């Protein structure tokens, strides 16, 4: 029986922390009080070649609350809300950052 591959969004984070991820592991790293999201890059499977969304937490602080970056983020988060699949190179790390930082600090919806 052939199982058709479902389309997947792609996600990558850049973070920083006083916590040493090599010593603590990625879950404890994501929970550490000093861990912060520097940026998130994402891509939906139906986007044109070369299009990548970017989110940076400072966009809100700088008053940049409209435009392509936010439209891309809204479309990406709607993909998640609608049950779309998300892949990443290190999914346990990305899931921890999503749940423990993006959901709690930025109000992102839960990843199923």
């Amino acid at each position: 029986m052939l199982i058709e591959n479902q389309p997947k969004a792609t996600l990558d984070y850049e973070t920083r922390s006083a916590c040493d991820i090599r010593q603590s592991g990625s879950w404890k790293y994501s929970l550490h009080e000093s861990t912060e999201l520097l940026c998130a890059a994402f891509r939906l499977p139906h986007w044109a070649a070369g299009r990548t969304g970017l989110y940076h937490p400072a966009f809100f602080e700088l008053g940049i609350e409209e435009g392509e970056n936010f439209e891309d983020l809204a479309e990406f988060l709607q993909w998640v809300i609608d049950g779309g699949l998300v892949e990443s190179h290190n999914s346990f790390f990305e899931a921890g950052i999503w749940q423990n930082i993006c959901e709690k600090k930025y109000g992102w919806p839960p990843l199923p």
Side-chain angles (χ1 to χ4, degrees):
M1 179 172 143
L2 280 174
I3 299 176
E4 186 178 328
N5 285 333
Q6 292 185 350
K8 298 171 196 73
T10 304
L11 173 65
D12 184 44
Y13 292 124
E14 296 302 326
T15 63
R16 70 176 170 195
S17 180
C19 180
D20 185 339
I21 194 169
R22 285 171 252 129
Q23 290 184 357
S24 67
S26 64
W27 187 257
K28 286 184 181 178
Y29 175 92
S30 73
L31 290 168
H32 196 272
E33 62 189 21
S34 70
T35 301
E36 61 182 316
L37 176 66
L38 297 177
C39 68
F42 47 89
R43 177 168 164 59
L44 291 174
H46 58 272
W47 284 356
R51 179 180 173 191
T52 301
L54 179 66
Y55 172 76
H56 189 289
F59 287 164
F60 289 108
E61 295 167 19
L62 297 171
I64 306 170
E65 298 179 14
E66 295 181 5
E68 188 175 307
N69 289 316
F70 288 95
E71 291 170 11
D72 288 351
L73 180 63
E75 190 175 349
F76 175 69
L77 295 178
Q78 190 61 53
W79 172 270
V80 171
I81 290 167
D82 292 343
L85 298 178
V86 177
E87 66 181 356
S88 60
H89 295 288
N90 187 351
S91 59
F92 190 74
F93 171 79
E94 266 78 16
I97 297 299
W98 184 292
Q99 182 175 343
N100 296 317
I101 295 176
C102 295
E103 281 184 41
K104 292 177 182 176
K105 191 169 184 178
Y106 305 116
W108 290 19
L111 264 177

